[in-house]
Amino acid sequence: DDPAAREHFLDRLATDVDRVSRLTRALLTLARMEAIGEGEADVVSVDLAIDEARAALETPEGVELRTEVAHELVARADPVLLRQVLIGLLTNAFKHTAAPGAVTLRAYPEGEEQLVIEVEDTGTGIRAEEQDRVFERFYRGSGSLEREGFGLGLAIAKRMVDVMGGDISVESEEGRGSTFSIRLRAASPSPTP
């Protein structure tokens, strides 16, 4: 009957329901990726995927978002999966980069058969002994114990990149930031009708 206690209880319940809902969605996404396996890839404009990912997120105050994208890059990938991977990597970079800081999104060809998309931040970085584990399901680094999350985001990103026939990796130095790199097969641009 206490209105203040009832409001506190309902707020806590709403928070817990939201958290379970996010966990369920993440697990369902991961299960879908496992069921799909590696499949056919489309010809995807990397410029367009990057523009869509940038438009889907708001850059935090005090963090500069820089882009260094070679023109007319085209990948063999899935446009929806690529966009989701980029949104996830940018979200993590923003979360771990305090103001004043910068997040750089770059894309460039690597030889004639591959291209690289990188998300680099000036954030907290990842300890050397944890870098091999960041793509494991439910793994949360020692610096993230106070943060929200389930340790599924990078596992899902890795599976999405695997489905597209690519590779994802990380290089990081604790206290100096991280660079997540996605390598995809390059494609020739489709002729415009």
Side-chain angles (χ1 to χ4, degrees):
D1 292 333
D2 180 4
R6 180 177 56 237
E7 193 63 34
H8 173 74
F9 174 75
L10 291 174
D11 285 346
R12 184 65 198 162
L13 186 60
T15 300
D16 290 345
V17 166
D18 180 57
R19 186 169 167 81
V20 169
S21 177
R22 287 186 296 118
L23 175 59
T24 303
R25 282 193 307 271
L27 288 171
L28 283 172
T29 300
L30 194 54
R32 279 189 211 108
M33 291 302 100
E34 292 296 331
I36 289 173
E38 190 172 329
E40 288 295 314
D42 295 326
V43 174
V44 177
S45 164
V46 173
D47 297 43
L48 182 59
I50 286 173
D51 287 345
E52 289 176 349
R54 288 183 62 193
L57 297 171
E58 187 173 325
T59 304
E61 190 172 327
V63 176
E64 179 185 0
L65 177 58
R66 303 173 183 153
T67 55
E68 301 168 4
V69 180
H71 294 292
E72 298 183 14
L73 281 181
V74 183
R76 306 267 325 146
D78 180 284
V80 174
L81 295 183
L82 181 56
R83 179 179 177 269
Q84 286 305 117
V85 170
L86 292 174
I87 288 171
L89 292 178
L90 285 170
T91 299
N92 281 351
F94 290 153
K95 187 184 336 180
H96 295 285
T97 302
V103 173
T104 304
L105 182 53
R106 73 175 57 88
Y108 55 90
E110 187 174 69
E112 293 194 18
E113 296 188 13
Q114 272 195 332
L115 60 88
V116 178
I117 303 171
E118 294 178 338
V119 177
E120 178 182 12
D121 65 58
T122 58
T124 54
I126 303 165
R127 293 168 46 182
E129 60 271 16
E130 294 180 339
Q131 290 179 32
D132 290 338
R133 300 196 61 202
V134 295
F135 297 106
E136 293 177 10
R137 293 180 198 185
F138 301 109
Y139 183 75
R140 297 180 67 216
S142 60
S144 64
L145 295 178
E146 71 281 357
R147 299 186 191 277
E148 287 289 319
F150 306 104
L152 287 172
L154 290 174
I156 291 171
K158 179 174 180 8
R159 187 61 189 138
M160 288 179 176
V161 172
D162 289 347
V163 165
M164 293 185 286
D167 183 54
I168 187 170
S169 60
V170 63
E171 290 183 16
S172 185
E173 186 177 337
E174 191 174 10
R176 303 202 64 177
S178 302
T179 302
F180 285 84
S181 301
I182 302 166
R183 283 179 170 68
L184 296 170
R185 294 168 290 165
S188 300
S190 298
T192 304

